[in-house]
């Protein structure tokens, strides 16, 4: 059961070493948090088992952040296997053929396929080193997001700094925008380079924010989560067309 305080728009990233640490964190957060992200770093530490336990035993929503990227047939088969766990979100790279294959694999399931545009830990210098075509990051993100959504993605992963541009796309109508790179005021940026606060992210049109270290590294994780949820429901978090 979730508390009236819990807000599905907050997804807590379980960037902890293993499933045991993940269960401990979930216990600390209790009914204040209803949605968790489990990524590649947890995969060899029991991540899928943890996802299943949180979903089936504790009734939590699960975002499996795998960022799948391979030939279409491999992606389709991988997603079909993951979809059997009845999880909620799964990330793949935003290349249209990858997105299309993932949607085929998720067919008849409620698993939502989210396309990665450009990682929020990257800046233009990083893209140059990876031989990514020239142009402002915001323009490249918007272009990749539009292509991924046209290919059938249920939503995209993007920096909150590009959320408004994505939300303005015709292809984005009715689609999800999920953003990492969110830090409460005064929090350490860690490896993120394109960040905003929770209120700024929601005001820019995102549907879910992903927060990790500011919560799980806090002395009192539940209090940290509750503070973020309070900010998410503040007037500063309202988009211009909201009451």
């Amino acid at each position: 059961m979730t508390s009236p305080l819990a807000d599905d728009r907050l997804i807590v990233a379980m960037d902890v070493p293993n499933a045991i640490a993940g269960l401990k964190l979930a216990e600390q957060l209790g009914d204040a948090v209803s949605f968790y992200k489990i990524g590649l770093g947890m995969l060899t530490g029991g991540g899928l088992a943890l996802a299943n336990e949180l979903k089936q035993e504790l009734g939590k929503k699960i975002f499996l952040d795998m960022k799948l990227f391979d030939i279409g047939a491999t992606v389709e088969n991988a997603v079909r296997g993951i979809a059997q766990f009845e999880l909620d979100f799964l990330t793949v790279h935003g290349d249209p053929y990858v997105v299309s294959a993932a949607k085929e694999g998720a067919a008849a399931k409620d698993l939502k396929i989210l396309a990665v545009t450009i990682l929020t830990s990257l800046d233009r210098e990083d893209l140059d080193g990876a031989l990514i075509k020239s142009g402002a990051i915001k323009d490249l993100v918007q272009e990749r997001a539009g292509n991924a959504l046209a290919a059938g993605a249920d939503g995209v992963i993007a920096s909150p700094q590009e959320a408004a541009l994505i939300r303005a796309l015709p292809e984005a109508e009715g689609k999800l925008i999920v953003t990492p790179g969110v830090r409460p005021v005064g929090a350490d940026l860690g490896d993120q380079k394109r960040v905003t606060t929770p209120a700024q992210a929601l005001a820019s049109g995102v549907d879910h924010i992903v927060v990790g270290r500011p919560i799980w590294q806090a002395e009192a994780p539940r209090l940290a989560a509750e503070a973020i949820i309070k900010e998410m429901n503040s007037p500063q978090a309202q988009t211009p067309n909201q009451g």
Side-chain angles (χ1 to χ4, degrees):
M1 297 292 290
T2 58
S3 129
L5 175 67
D7 190 324
D8 281 353
R9 294 176 299 169
L10 172 63
I11 301 176
V12 174
M14 281 200 164
D15 298 328
V16 292
N18 52 51
I20 294 174
L23 285 173
K24 181 179 179 181
L25 177 61
E27 181 179 346
Q28 290 175 311
L29 294 172
D31 58 5
V33 172
S34 55
F35 214 146
Y36 288 99
K37 179 178 85 74
I38 295 174
L40 279 172
M42 173 82 79
L43 191 61
T44 58
L48 284 176
L50 174 63
N52 192 54
E53 183 164 352
L54 290 173
K55 179 75 176 180
Q56 303 301 328
E57 302 298 326
L58 299 181
K60 306 297 184 182
K61 292 185 176 181
I62 300 297
F63 167 13
L64 196 62
D65 187 17
M66 295 289 104
K67 299 183 180 72
L68 298 178
F69 182 73
D70 212 311
I71 64 172
T74 299
V75 170
E76 181 178 344
N77 288 335
V79 174
R80 183 172 292 112
I82 290 169
Q84 304 308 308
F85 289 89
E86 304 291 343
L87 306 180
D88 299 277
F89 293 172
L90 172 69
T91 48
V92 303
H93 276 259
D95 303 61
Y97 81 89
V98 175
V99 171
S100 297
K103 286 295 292 180
E104 286 294 323
K109 298 290 185 180
D110 291 330
L111 179 65
K112 295 191 181 302
I113 301 300
L114 304 181
V116 175
T117 54
I118 295 175
L119 298 176
T120 54
S121 60
L122 303 181
D123 57 19
R124 185 62 252 183
E125 183 178 354
D126 296 316
L127 299 187
D128 290 340
L131 305 181
I132 302 299
K133 75 176 185 178
S134 62
I137 286 183
K138 63 182 179 63
D139 296 330
L140 297 180
V141 167
Q142 186 182 43
E143 182 178 3
R144 281 182 62 79
N147 291 341
L149 294 170
D154 298 296
V156 297
I157 306 294
S159 159
Q161 296 182 6
E162 291 102 33
L165 288 172
I166 294 172
R167 185 56 71 199
L169 291 169
E171 297 91 345
E173 184 175 357
K175 303 291 187 173
L176 296 169
I177 300 176
V178 180
T179 181
V182 175
R183 293 288 186 270
V185 174
D188 181 19
L189 297 185
D191 57 5
Q192 300 292 344
K193 295 179 180 177
R194 305 188 334 266
V195 302
T196 63
T197 67
Q200 289 169 335
L202 292 173
S204 69
V206 309
D207 298 285
H208 298 273
I209 63 172
V210 180
V211 183
R213 275 167 287 199
I215 291 176
W216 62 260
Q217 283 187 342
E219 290 187 12
R222 182 177 177 123
L223 291 179
E226 289 174 349
I228 290 172
I229 292 169
K230 183 177 180 180
E231 180 183 340
M232 290 166 57
N233 289 282
S234 69
Q236 292 75 25
Q238 302 300 306
T239 56
N241 61 351
Q242 285 180 319

